[in-house]
Amino acid sequence: MARSYPPVPLSPVSCPPCPHPLQQRLSPRPSQTIYKRVEGTQQWRLEEEEEDGEEGAEPAAHFCPMELRGPDLGSRAGRQNLGLWAATGRKAAPYLVLTALLIFTGAFLLGYVAFRGSCQACGDDVLVVSEDVNYEPGPDSHQGTLYWSDLQAMFLRFLGEGRLEDTIRQTSLRKRMAGSAGMAALAQDIRGALSSQKLDHVWMDTHYVGLQFPDPAHPNTLHWVDAADKLGEPLPLEDHDVYCPYSATGNATGELVYAHYGRPEDLQDLRARGVETAGRLLLVRLGEISFAQKVASAQDFGARGVLIYPDPADFSQDPHKLSLSSHRAVYGHVHLGTGDPYTPGFPSFNQTQFPPVQSSGLPNIPAQPISADIASLLLRKLQGPVAPQEWQGHLPVSPYRLGPGPGLHLGVNNHRVSTPISNIFGCIEGRSEPDHYVVIGAQRDAWGPGAAKSAVGTAILLELVRTFSSMVSNGFQPRRSLLFISWDGGDFGSVGSTEWLEGYLSVLHLKAVVYVSLDNAVLGDDKFHAKTSPLLISLIENILKQVDSPNRSGQTLFEQVTLNSHSWDAEVIRPLPMDSSAYSFTAFAGVPAVEFSFMEDGQAYPFLHTKDDTYENLHTMLRGRLPAVAQAVAQLAGQLLIRLSHDHLLPLDFGRYGDVVLRHISSLNEFSGDLKARGLTLQWVYSARGDYIRAAEKLRKEIYSSEESDERLMRMYNVRIMRVEFYFLSQYVSPADSPFRHIFLGRGDHTLGALLEHVRLLRSGGSGDPGAAASRMAPGLGFQESRFRRQLALLTWTLQGAANALSGDVWNIDNNF
């Protein structure tokens, strides 16, 4: 029975400070504070007392020594009615709480699913670049979390403050041949420029490499030869200091034959027309393939030497555009490979002595560039069949004939010099994955002015360093490290970059995420090409949609490249060529790479690798749009770096290689009947490809169902993704014997391309097959079953290994091989 008290006046008599009744009604009830301080079963007792208080008990008695009686509740019927409502409320409370909880849970799940679905559907367009809880702005920052739109706006704002055009002009004016005093001075200036920015590390490394230079005391020569094989009148080499580095030295004499571009199919065509190439000198046009490939093909078909000239037909015929002078020759190295050919597979540090071995890519025949004027004189002397219509050029000779013609004597006296070259590095350390590097580099050296060849790339590199340094000062902290590199020795076959890869290969294949090359970035403004690994294609597409076209107002770069084509990748994407510094990163080190190039529509930039590759000529060729085009390349490369260095999950499309394998297999399918007749099959390749597709799909599902906030899990996924390219390096061939071990991009019997060329011999018979030269296989050998089985095993187990590695741990591997 409840205790009753007589009415008490509300004014206190001798009470310690106690809240006025009005204050009790307006302030939180004291019982709430007591609940926070009481633990265990006592807490629940007090909760029950509070509920009793709601029914009319005297809760104030617990808090003040003066006991106050509550107000009169009226009649007995009123009190009974109030008790009934209170009892009903107590019974309904659990159901109300449960209903509210269910509504809240349903709404939360619906919102979560809708958000995940929108992100999956929209892809990177709604990607939050920085949303992890560990993000801490820099000391100079006044911002909070930076999102993709914030970073994009910040990047474009700081990039717009640079002086790209002036840097291009100033760099092109400096003499910077590898190994020269001018190059040493420029290297110190570049290092100083990097040291002045907000970078965590700046350093330089030096390699001592074997470079080949012309001998001023004994210049290269070209003579007519009379019927008695005696030297006749000399043919003047107008650009006497233009040469082919790594050409074989010595003399070569023979009749001259015109061989178009010097491709294997061109040389095979000559044989089919009854014109023999063995024992003769070949006259070939610039273009289509590299100098090194031209000389290698000529050597494989038995030629004694090669002369390379620029034909006006391969350049723009627009009279309003600049063209290459007819007395200019074009420079180009002829090493079928990259790096120092005198230390193949090993880094050239500290003048270390190695066994006297040379790269198998060094030619055994001499080669020399000549001008269009000298080529005209030679073509006029040729006899024999008229060249096919598609072989005709625009020299003042009509028609071009195949030859043979009069005898020629070529003398090449280049000499090898041990030369120090220096690469310069600058680094911004990542905050979450500092041991994973996003690498961007540009060639610094040039044989001539090199405005397009290396000045543009160097200027963009320095501008990106300055821009990202400013971003770091304003709160940008990449998850992964950014590594900026200025390469030396690029004009000799990416010597600087390859030597660095050889020196740190055991580290880089575990740490390098992607390489972005800035070489040859601006050779025009009509077309855009991305020479790249398949892993980067989807990311490139996304970035192209966010970069403005430099010459079409109101359009993005993606809209520009798809203007006349529905298939953007067919218009833009190209394989990495061997003469790109990016090639070694992928084919040798297993690091996905990309090189961007703006080009003229259908015609090559005429001044590349000549003394006329000046700032003025490049600026005139682009009709004053050089700054805008260079800025577009910088925007593209910079936004690519942001995504690669800051996304939680690396944006590499590891499923793309399944399509690459399928495309190659479709080429092999037409020979399945021929193979089956010999008791052979390609089923192993099909099974390995299927396992790779399943492993890629399984990983994609795992990633989609995981939480992005789980840093440990994200790192595990990133490690698997970033090593996909490395998985395609054949583990069954020696890097010393076959440095380019990539089964899709490399060179050698272990590649898918070599297997396809070999299988084609089933129908061609193998006599003089054009593919034989490309794989460095002796012409005349037909299909060999033992070689086919070895090729198939090398290819299949490399592909199967990639599928197993992508699956993750060994207990997760589930294949049908």
Side-chain angles (χ1 to χ4, degrees):
M1 187 175 195
R3 297 171 60 188
S4 61
Y5 297 88
V8 179
L10 291 180
S11 57
V13 179
S14 59
C15 178
C18 185
H20 190 277
L22 179 62
Q23 293 177 334
Q24 289 184 349
R25 290 195 299 270
L26 296 180
S27 62
R29 286 164 39 190
S31 62
Q32 294 175 339
T33 303
I34 286 182
Y35 290 162
K36 294 181 181 179
R37 295 178 182 174
V38 179
E39 299 180 357
T41 57
Q42 180 71 8
Q43 179 179 10
W44 299 107
R45 183 183 62 78
L46 292 177
E47 288 176 353
E48 292 173 359
E49 291 178 3
E50 181 185 25
E51 290 175 358
D52 290 338
E54 292 174 355
E55 296 178 35
E58 301 82 9
H62 296 292
F63 307 111
C64 186
M66 179 177 290
E67 297 183 3
L68 301 178
R69 182 176 181 178
D72 189 2
L73 295 175
S75 66
R76 179 180 182 86
R79 288 194 300 270
Q80 289 178 346
N81 197 23
L82 179 61
L84 179 62
W85 277 105
T88 304
R90 283 200 305 273
K91 293 180 181 178
Y95 298 102
L96 292 174
V97 171
L98 182 60
T99 302
L101 183 61
L102 289 175
I103 293 174
F104 172 81
T105 303
F108 174 81
L109 291 176
L110 181 62
Y112 178 79
V113 171
F115 176 76
R116 286 292 295 264
S118 65
C119 285
Q120 185 72 9
C122 299
D124 301 318
D125 292 337
V126 295
L127 176 70
V128 176
V129 180
S130 175
E131 63 176 5
D132 74 331
V133 295
N134 296 321
Y135 181 81
E136 295 180 2
D140 301 327
S141 172
H142 301 288
Q143 303 183 35
T145 300
L146 295 175
Y147 298 91
W148 166 246
S149 58
D150 301 323
L151 289 175
Q152 190 178 37
M154 181 191 296
F155 170 76
L156 294 176
R157 183 173 74 253
F158 288 121
L159 183 69
E161 298 173 358
R163 299 172 61 189
L164 267 173
E165 185 176 13
D166 185 59
T167 307
I168 296 171
R169 180 192 295 109
Q170 295 301 323
T171 304
S172 65
L173 291 175
R174 302 183 67 162
K175 293 184 178 181
R176 55 191 192 284
M177 184 76 160
S180 67
M183 170 53 79
L186 179 60
Q188 291 302 324
D189 290 347
I190 297 290
R191 183 174 186 176
L194 267 58
S195 298
S196 68
Q197 300 298 329
K198 195 176 180 64
L199 303 180
D200 295 302
H201 311 282
V202 175
W203 73 100
M204 179 187 296
D205 69 14
T206 300
H207 303 263
Y208 290 84
V209 298
L211 304 182
Q212 199 183 65
F213 298 97
D215 186 349
H218 302 90
N220 299 340
T221 59
L222 185 64
H223 289 81
W224 294 111
V225 174
D226 60 21
D229 288 338
K230 292 183 179 180
L231 294 184
E233 181 183 357
L235 287 159
L237 298 178
E238 296 166 300
D239 271 348
H240 60 87
D241 53 348
V242 181
Y243 71 112
C244 289
Y246 303 124
S247 164
T249 57
N251 303 312
T253 303
E255 295 177 313
L256 185 68
V257 169
Y258 171 56
H260 201 210
Y261 292 111
R263 298 169 296 188
E265 55 266 34
D266 296 331
L267 304 184
Q268 176 65 21
D269 197 357
L270 282 172
R271 284 186 175 177
R273 295 173 184 274
V275 179
E276 184 54 57
T277 57
R280 289 171 169 162
L281 300 184
L282 301 187
L283 177 65
V284 301
R285 282 160 59 166
L286 181 75
E288 295 294 326
I289 58 176
S290 69
F291 278 43
Q293 290 170 307
K294 296 175 190 294
V295 176
S297 297
Q299 178 177 307
D300 287 335
F301 278 79
R304 291 184 178 177
V306 181
L307 301 173
I308 305 172
Y309 79 98
D311 197 295
D314 297 311
F315 304 106
S316 174
Q317 304 305 304
D318 188 342
H320 301 291
K321 288 188 176 182
L322 295 176
S323 60
L324 185 66
S325 169
S326 62
H327 64 267
R328 283 289 188 218
V330 180
Y331 166 99
H333 78 89
V334 293
H335 172 216
L336 191 63
T338 62
D340 182 358
Y342 304 109
T343 59
F346 300 95
S348 302
F349 279 125
N350 303 323
Q351 303 193 60
T352 305
Q353 298 300 310
F354 288 98
V357 295
Q358 294 186 356
S359 167
S360 60
L362 284 175
N364 297 321
I365 60 175
Q368 175 66 29
I370 62 174
S371 68
D373 284 345
I374 299 300
S376 297
L377 295 176
L378 298 178
L379 284 168
R380 290 192 186 101
K381 299 287 186 178
L382 291 184
Q383 301 174 355
V386 174
Q389 182 59 41
E390 60 271 20
W391 288 30
Q392 299 295 321
H394 289 170
L395 290 176
V397 179
S398 183
Y400 285 23
R401 293 185 177 272
L402 300 177
L408 286 174
H409 176 87
L410 173 63
V412 174
N413 302 307
N414 305 335
H415 64 291
R416 170 185 164 187
V417 179
S418 180
T419 308
I421 62 172
S422 298
N423 299 323
I424 307 165
F425 304 81
C427 176
I428 297 174
E429 276 197 42
R431 74 178 189 280
S432 300
E433 301 176 39
D435 57 332
H436 290 164
Y437 317 145
V438 179
V439 188
I440 183 166
Q443 173 183 329
R444 185 175 71 253
D445 65 300
W447 173 81
K453 178 60 181 176
S454 63
V456 170
T458 297
I460 294 174
L461 179 71
L462 292 175
E463 187 62 18
L464 289 174
V465 169
R466 187 195 61 78
T467 300
F468 277 94
S469 176
S470 299
M471 291 175 65
V472 168
S473 298
N474 285 267
F476 173 60
Q477 294 182 355
R479 296 178 60 83
R480 302 171 194 92
S481 296
L482 285 167
L483 194 55
F484 304 92
I485 310 178
S486 174
W487 303 116
D488 199 352
D491 264 358
F492 290 84
S494 304
V495 175
S497 58
T498 303
E499 294 306 307
W500 183 68
L501 287 172
E502 289 176 341
Y504 301 100
L505 182 62
S506 59
V507 174
L508 291 174
H509 87 271
L510 299 172
K511 296 177 179 272
V513 177
V514 165
Y515 176 67
V516 179
S517 170
L518 297 173
D519 298 338
N520 305 307
V522 181
L523 303 176
D525 66 346
D526 294 324
K527 285 184 171 294
F528 175 80
H529 289 163
K531 292 159 275 189
T532 185
S533 159
L535 295 174
L536 289 163
I537 293 177
S538 296
L539 178 59
I540 291 170
E541 178 183 7
N542 181 272
I543 299 297
L544 287 178
K545 294 176 180 178
Q546 302 180 53
V547 175
D548 292 335
S549 168
N551 56 6
R552 288 182 171 84
S553 179
Q555 287 187 347
T556 64
L557 196 49
F558 183 83
E559 291 170 335
Q560 175 186 329
V561 299
T562 56
L563 189 62
N564 300 316
S565 173
H566 296 293
S567 176
W568 83 271
D569 51 347
E571 183 73 19
V572 172
I573 301 302
R574 299 289 185 273
L576 283 166
M578 186 180 287
D579 56 0
S580 164
S581 64
Y583 179 83
S584 291
F585 273 85
T586 300
F588 174 70
V591 177
V594 60
E595 180 177 286
F596 304 116
S597 293
F598 278 93
M599 312 185 77
E600 288 297 295
D601 190 3
Q603 302 294 333
Y605 173 68
F607 306 121
L608 199 65
H609 290 130
T610 73
K611 295 177 182 177
D612 294 332
D613 183 16
T614 63
Y615 166 81
E616 290 75 19
N617 281 340
L618 181 60
H619 191 274
T620 302
M621 282 290 297
L622 270 67
R623 300 171 295 281
R625 288 202 292 269
L626 174 58
V629 180
Q631 183 88 347
V633 175
Q635 289 184 22
L636 183 64
Q639 294 189 52
L640 199 72
L641 293 183
I642 294 174
R643 290 291 310 276
L644 289 167
S645 67
H646 213 295
D647 280 13
H648 281 71
L649 189 72
L650 282 172
L652 301 179
D653 189 355
F654 47 85
R656 280 273 184 172
Y657 265 115
D659 301 331
V660 173
V661 179
L662 183 62
R663 192 162 58 246
H664 282 85
I665 287 179
S666 63
S667 301
L668 290 169
N669 281 340
E670 62 176 295
F671 300 99
S672 58
D674 304 86
L675 291 171
K676 188 174 182 181
R678 291 172 174 256
L680 303 171
T681 179
L682 295 168
Q683 185 57 43
W684 286 7
V685 179
Y686 302 151
S687 297
R689 186 256 176 186
D691 287 340
Y692 182 85
I693 294 296
R694 284 187 288 274
E697 185 59 28
K698 181 180 178 183
L699 177 57
R700 186 178 286 108
K701 289 180 178 178
E702 287 180 18
I703 292 172
Y704 179 68
S705 61
S706 63
E707 288 296 333
E708 192 180 64
S709 59
D710 190 332
E711 292 285 341
R712 176 179 172 274
L713 194 58
M714 287 298 106
R715 182 178 175 86
M716 289 174 58
Y717 288 146
N718 283 335
V719 168
R720 286 162 68 180
I721 293 171
M722 67 181 279
R723 294 181 187 170
V724 167
E725 200 77 66
F726 179 76
Y727 301 154
F728 291 110
L729 298 186
S730 177
Q731 306 300 307
Y732 307 101
V733 295
S734 166
D737 298 331
S738 301
F740 304 123
R741 294 178 292 149
H742 201 285
I743 60 173
F744 300 115
L745 195 63
R747 294 183 63 85
D749 250 17
H750 60 283
T751 64
L752 205 157
L755 175 65
L756 180 58
E757 290 172 0
H758 189 198
V759 170
R760 287 188 180 127
L761 298 179
L762 287 167
R763 297 183 182 177
S764 68
S767 177
D769 179 68
S775 62
R776 307 298 300 216
M777 183 183 72
L781 294 177
F783 181 84
Q784 303 167 41
E785 183 174 324
S786 60
R787 178 173 174 245
F788 169 80
R789 290 182 180 275
R790 182 177 184 277
Q791 284 181 303
L792 189 63
L794 291 174
L795 175 68
T796 302
W797 283 111
T798 301
L799 184 56
Q800 186 64 47
N804 293 344
L806 196 62
S807 296
D809 296 306
V810 291
W811 52 83
N812 289 327
I813 297 174
D814 179 20
N815 59 57
N816 297 322
F817 191 67

